[in-house]
Amino acid sequence: MAADRGFSALLAEPDPFVRARLEGHFTASAWLVSADGTRVLLMHHAKLLRWLQPGGHADGDVDLSRVALKEAEEETGLTGLVLDDPAVFDLDCHWIPERKDVPGHWHFDVRYVVRAGGGETFVGNHESLGLAWRPVAEVAADPDESLSRMAGKWLARQAASD
């Protein structure tokens, strides 16, 4: 399946929420902001060797907001996380390169805003080489187009609510 077919076309495909569907499948991730909304928690992804937002495979769960929240909790060790808004915050389609016995494939990532509420002391897991809180304004200038796009959206949302 070509990436340009889009998210809605993927819904018509068989099993779009399972990772075994190697033509492309849904993933979910969290734009995980601090309680005051000025910082975002990013992880240095162990397999991709890039700073990214927490997230992962749906593994058959069609409630992608629940997947984003679960992945954020598992990958950061933070407790008291809440879905800040049930609406989709961002959509991204990206290629995952071949690794070991898994061929290259497309991730159709659906992103939600998750807010830290119970503290900001994180504990990483095997999926990351590290975690860091970064000012959203700094991330807006990040060379990674996906991260800078989300930071820009978040800053615009914050400015509109002031």
Side-chain angles (χ1 to χ4, degrees), residues 10 19 21 30 34 37 53 63 65 77 80 87 89 92 111 119 124 126 146 154 162:
L10 184 60
R19 71 175 82 195
R21 187 176 188 294
S34 57
Q53 69 285 350
D63 184 342
S65 64
F89 176 64
D92 191 72
R111 297 154 173 196
H126 67 281
S146 174
W154 181 251
D162 290 343

Side-chain angles (χ1 to χ4, degrees), residues 84-97:
D84 194 63
D85 185 343
V88 172
F89 176 64
D90 188 63
L91 298 170
D92 191 72
C93 180
H94 51 268
W95 180 253
I96 301 298

Side-chain angles (χ1 to χ4, degrees), residues 48-89:
L48 298 175
L49 302 176
R50 296 174 47 206
W51 286 94
L52 301 169
Q53 69 285 350
H57 290 93
D59 290 328
D61 191 344
V62 299
D63 184 342
L64 294 177
S65 64
R66 179 172 53 217
V67 173
L69 187 58
K70 176 183 72 80
E71 291 289 335
E73 291 169 344
E74 289 176 359
E75 292 180 351
T76 68
L78 290 174
T79 59
L81 297 179
V82 295
L83 188 64
D84 194 63
D85 185 343
V88 172
F89 176 64

